[in-house]
Amino acid sequence: MHGLGELESAAMDVLWRAGEARTVREVLDELNRDLAYTTVLTVLDHLHRKGWVAREKRSRAYCYTPTRSREEAAARAMRNLLADVGDPDGVLLHFAQSASEGEREALRRGLRKRA
């Protein structure tokens, strides 16, 4: 995900797939990597400070949940990428021309909902 490091992206993937709050230990277990508990704690703390996750204290541990869906995060990343290029209209036109029929239909639906 744009703006996230490799471990941050992996932790977000765990949280998005979970569909409910997860503790550091649960995220660590689901990452299935040889990482220290404190490493995952630091990653989740960074995500919290960046606004990607909310945390709630339950008993002695924090539980983490995403503050936005994977789709919202991807849309925000696309928006940031468009802001970084010199010709966002050109990028959108190239994307539209290369989009599959299913993608074009999804865009049409989205534009109809907005209107």
Side-chain angles (χ1 to χ4, degrees):
M1 193 60 58
H2 185 72
L4 297 180
E6 179 189 343
L7 276 178
E8 290 173 328
S9 292
M12 287 304 302
D13 186 55
V14 167
L15 293 172
W16 280 321
R17 282 187 286 113
E20 59 187 21
R22 288 284 188 246
T23 64
V24 174
R25 174 64 55 199
E26 290 169 328
V27 172
L28 173 60
D29 291 346
E30 291 183 44
L31 282 172
N32 220 9
R33 296 184 187 191
D34 187 24
L35 298 169
Y37 177 93
T38 54
T39 300
V40 177
L41 176 64
T42 300
V43 167
L44 290 170
D45 185 56
H46 287 171
L47 289 168
H48 179 255
R49 282 189 276 121
K50 289 179 176 183
W52 282 82
V53 299
R55 67 182 180 194
E56 177 185 336
K57 190 116 181 185
R58 293 189 190 159
S59 185
R60 294 175 43 205
Y62 280 111
C63 290
Y64 295 86
T65 55
T67 57
R68 61 187 72 108
S69 70
R70 184 187 304 264
E71 294 77 14
E72 290 168 325
R76 183 176 287 185
M78 287 173 56
R79 175 70 51 209
N80 290 338
L81 286 170
L82 286 173
D84 290 345
V85 298
D87 182 16
D89 291 349
V91 172
L92 288 171
L93 289 172
H94 280 287
F95 175 78
Q97 290 169 349
S98 67
S100 69
E101 184 54 41
E103 292 166 338
R104 286 193 297 271
E105 183 53 37
L107 288 170
R108 285 186 203 100
R109 282 193 313 270
L111 291 170
R112 279 193 300 269
K113 284 181 183 179
R114 186 164 185 219

